[in-house]
């Protein structure tokens, strides 16, 4: 009978630990969501300013920084990497050497 009680208590302890772990993971996930929302709200004005500044550039100016009009909407996507900038002066120096 003592062996059955020991197994029952071990099962209860394991169940409680699993429930506590699930709650901890849930709280952390909610915290990450809240952090992401706060970060989005805080950075929104700067993102709008950057977007508007890029939209005000001419096609030539965008080309000089390695972008096109299509790239403006993607600038804030994770992993966005514009083409290398237009370094015509550096290319001329390389050809002359």
């Amino acid at each position: 009978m003592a062996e059955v009680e020991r197994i029952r208590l071990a099962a209860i302890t394991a169940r409680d630990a699993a429930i506590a772990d699930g709650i901890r993971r849930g709280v952390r996930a909610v915290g990450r969501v809240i952090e992401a929302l706060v970060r989005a709200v805080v950075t929104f004005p700067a993102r709008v300013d950057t977007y508007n500044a890029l939209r005000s550039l001419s096609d030539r100016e965008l080309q000089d920084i390695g972008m096109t009009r299509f790239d403006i909407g993607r600038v804030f996507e994770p992993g966005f990497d514009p083409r290398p900038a237009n370094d015509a002066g550096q290319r001329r120096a390389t050809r002359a050497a």
Side-chain angles (χ1 to χ4, degrees):
M1 196 55 127
E3 182 67 20
V4 172
E5 185 63 18
R6 187 183 62 76
I7 292 171
R8 188 179 75 77
L9 290 175
I12 291 171
T13 303
R15 180 199 64 200
D16 291 347
I19 291 171
D21 185 52
I23 290 172
R24 275 192 294 273
R25 282 187 281 138
V27 168
R28 278 189 235 123
V30 169
R32 285 191 298 269
V33 168
I34 291 171
E35 179 185 348
L37 287 172
V38 168
R39 191 177 320 117
V41 168
V42 167
T43 61
F44 184 74
R47 291 166 62 107
V48 168
D49 290 344
T50 301
Y51 179 81
N52 289 334
L54 288 171
R55 288 202 24 104
S56 71
L57 296 176
S58 70
D59 289 340
R60 174 63 190 188
E61 291 168 326
L62 287 170
Q63 182 182 6
D64 285 346
I65 61 173
M67 293 180 65
T68 63
R69 292 244 169 250
F70 176 74
D71 294 330
I72 294 173
R74 298 180 21 226
V75 125
F76 299 109
E77 291 178 7
F80 173 74
D81 189 21
R83 294 177 310 283
N86 181 6
D87 293 330
Q90 187 176 25
R91 283 191 300 231
R92 280 194 297 266
T94 304
R95 278 187 282 179

